[in-house]
Amino acid sequence: MAELLTSLTGSQDLAHALRFGEVSLGRAELLAAATAVADQVHGAPAVAVEATADARTVTAIVGCLLAGVPVVPVPPDSGAAERSHILKDSGAERVLRADEIDLTAQGRGSYAEPDPAGTALILYTSGTTGAPKGVPVTRSAIAAGLDALADAWAWTPDDTLVHGLPIFHVHGLVLGMLGPLRHGSPLVHTVRPKPAAYAAAGGSLYFGVPTVWSRIAADPQSAEALKKARLLVSGSAPLPAPVFERLAQLTGHQPVERYGMTETLITVSSRADGERRPGQVGVPVLGTGTRLADDDGTVLPNDGEAVGELQVHGPTVFSGYLHRPEANQQAFTADGWFRTGDVATIHPDGWHRIVGRASTDLIKSGGYRIGAGEIEDVLLGLDGVREVAVIGVPDEDLGERVRAFVVGENLTQEQVVEHVAQQLSVHKRPREVVFVAELPRNAMGKVVKQRLR
């Protein structure tokens, strides 16, 4: 593994290690200022960092990592109750804010590389089933995950990474911030992920969530500028097939899609040197194993038809939630595989399609197991449909019936139902269609289906 932040602590001269908006830092400047932070926090059990999109936030996080102190990123818009829970649960001794960090500081300390098995980050889940759970992520897990992505995406120091994602999630923080500091590729963070900012950045590797790519696909001038890129990567939520096709048409690039969780980092991805399939997230990355299981734990075949819970194991998978023994018992199988709670199919050639969450996207209706994601993909191909979310709702006769929430125009319930019935098995057609102005989403652009219930 060597050192976690190889390019930062090595001898490579990076004149522009990162740029946040108008603020640029070279490798030596970042290392000096981060070492000054390490001098302040060394020996602390954990330190929370208010994770605003700012070069000073990056410096605070890197300083803690240099000192071997676990970092607890706190969303800057977190409410009082959420913030209090995160600080108490994590044991963070202090909170660092961007305005406390001096980018011109010169650290005095010298720090040996911490234990690879030590905790680098304590990330918190979305809390959709109760208070957010703390996920300790080790240094070795981050290193293994980033190296696997370098293999899958041909990520090298010759790349310039561009994104405008929040830096308190795996996508923006681990991939989008620590990735460049490990692989030596300069980072351009646009602060906000606006199409014009992406177009002006001049990068080779771009990260975005589906909402970002959808907006770029709707802005031909900005999309045109991305023709010079090497790779576009989409994650954190499913990328609608029409957006995939539109991006390919406008930019000349079929985006890479990948799948992961806070608890596992990125485990499945399509590859830079391979094909891309709309609606599918590729094959397991280096070192990761996957399988499907039914409700009884029976392992299902990889035949592209069987729908089951996706289970994973490998060097990036965490070992358990903070202070949650009961949750940990449920999270792992008897033979040590992590139960993702996501429902998927796996094709015989290893390609994965994520159907959605078992709790919201696996619909059991009339004896059938129906994946909400399959219906959503079909509906996004219907003229007039801009967004859609499908859920199961209780039904005395069927157990659950299919309900579709549709954002669109000039559509009727009959058109929506008939379109699904023509494309899929009749039992998968929505029994109800609700037309809405917008779908509820979280900060990463994921639809929050619990609110639709």
Side-chain angles (χ1 to χ4, degrees):
M1 175 184 116
E3 296 179 340
L4 174 59
L5 307 178
T6 311
S7 76
L8 177 67
T9 55
S11 58
Q12 181 185 10
D13 181 20
L14 290 176
H16 300 287
L18 61 87
R19 186 171 85 231
F20 270 71
E22 300 301 316
V23 178
S24 294
L25 284 180
R27 183 196 68 82
E29 295 172 288
L30 175 58
L31 182 58
T35 302
V37 174
D39 293 343
Q40 297 176 36
V41 303
H42 182 65
V47 170
V49 176
E50 194 165 288
T52 52
D54 193 298
R56 295 169 296 180
T57 301
V58 176
T59 303
I61 292 172
V62 171
C64 293
L65 293 177
L66 290 176
V69 174
V71 180
V72 185
V74 178
D77 61 349
S78 58
E82 178 186 5
R83 186 184 185 92
S84 175
H85 167 73
I86 289 173
L87 296 179
K88 182 178 179 181
D89 189 69
S90 66
E93 190 173 78
R94 60 182 296 184
V95 180
L96 291 178
R97 300 191 311 272
D99 59 12
E100 298 177 295
I101 306 301
D102 180 2
L103 295 180
T104 66
Q106 300 282 325
R108 299 183 302 277
S110 177
Y111 300 93
E113 179 68 10
D115 182 358
T119 298
L121 304 170
I122 302 175
L123 304 176
Y124 277 79
T125 62
S126 59
T128 55
T129 56
K133 297 190 289 287
V135 178
V137 183
T138 65
R139 301 175 75 90
S140 61
I142 294 172
L146 292 175
D147 291 349
L149 294 182
D151 170 74
W153 300 343
W155 188 354
T156 74
D158 293 330
D159 281 307
T160 294
L161 173 63
V162 177
H163 72 87
L165 302 171
I167 54 175
F168 47 86
H169 291 297
V170 166
H171 197 167
L173 172 55
V174 178
L175 278 61
M177 195 194 87
L178 301 185
L181 296 178
R182 181 166 179 83
H183 298 318
S185 55
L187 167 64
V188 176
H189 194 287
T190 60
V191 182
R192 294 184 181 277
K194 295 183 177 180
Y198 272 44
S204 61
L205 177 61
Y206 285 78
F207 291 171
V209 298
T211 302
V212 173
W213 294 123
S214 178
R215 291 171 180 171
I216 290 174
D219 184 346
Q221 183 175 352
S222 294
E224 176 82 15
L226 300 189
K227 284 185 175 181
K228 297 178 182 179
R230 181 180 67 81
L231 200 67
L232 312 182
V233 181
S234 181
S236 296
L239 182 69
V243 177
F244 179 103
E245 300 294 351
R246 181 69 171 157
L247 281 174
Q249 177 187 0
L250 292 172
T251 69
H253 299 291
Q254 292 182 323
V256 159
E257 295 186 67
R258 85 301 182 284
Y259 163 82
M261 299 179 68
T262 304
E263 294 91 336
T264 67
L265 305 184
I266 305 304
T267 54
V268 179
S269 179
S270 48
R271 295 181 59 88
D273 58 0
E275 67 173 313
R276 324 282 160 76
R277 302 178 187 176
Q280 299 187 49
V281 292
V283 299
V285 300
L286 198 66
T288 296
T290 64
R291 71 185 186 190
L292 299 177
D294 65 14
D295 294 342
D296 299 324
T298 302
V299 176
L300 301 173
N302 294 353
D303 59 8
E305 297 293 333
V307 177
E309 181 186 46
L310 182 64
Q311 300 178 352
V312 302
H313 77 82
T316 64
V317 178
F318 83 138
S319 59
Y321 299 104
L322 279 182
H323 319 307
R324 299 292 186 95
E326 292 183 3
N328 292 332
Q329 201 167 25
Q330 297 174 354
F332 292 89
T333 65
D335 56 351
W337 289 64
F338 176 66
R339 303 179 59 192
T340 66
D342 284 326
V343 181
T345 63
I346 304 178
H347 194 269
D349 64 7
W351 273 74
H352 291 54
R353 178 189 293 277
I354 306 300
V355 174
R357 294 296 292 170
S359 58
T360 56
D361 296 304
L362 179 61
I363 303 168
K364 298 176 183 179
S365 181
Y368 294 100
R369 293 162 64 91
I370 302 169
E374 183 181 25
I375 302 171
E376 290 165 353
D377 287 345
V378 166
L379 282 176
L380 285 169
L382 175 61
D383 287 343
V385 173
R386 287 187 280 118
E387 294 182 295
V388 63
V390 171
I391 64 172
V393 297
D395 186 278
E396 289 185 3
D397 179 43
L398 299 170
E400 287 185 301
R401 64 183 181 273
V402 178
R403 178 182 291 171
F405 291 82
V406 175
V407 180
E409 52 275 320
N410 302 320
L411 292 164
T412 65
Q413 172 164 317
E414 290 72 23
Q415 287 175 302
V416 171
V417 172
E418 180 62 22
H419 182 75
V420 175
Q422 288 178 353
Q423 301 291 325
L424 301 175
S425 302
V426 173
H427 67 265
K428 297 178 181 178
R429 70 190 187 281
R431 304 284 176 148
E432 301 171 0
V433 179
V434 180
F435 293 100
V436 295
E438 62 181 12
L439 299 175
R441 296 180 181 274
N442 64 16
M444 294 301 290
K446 294 182 181 180
V447 175
V448 184
K449 290 190 175 182
Q450 288 83 355
R451 296 183 194 169
L452 294 174
R453 294 182 181 278

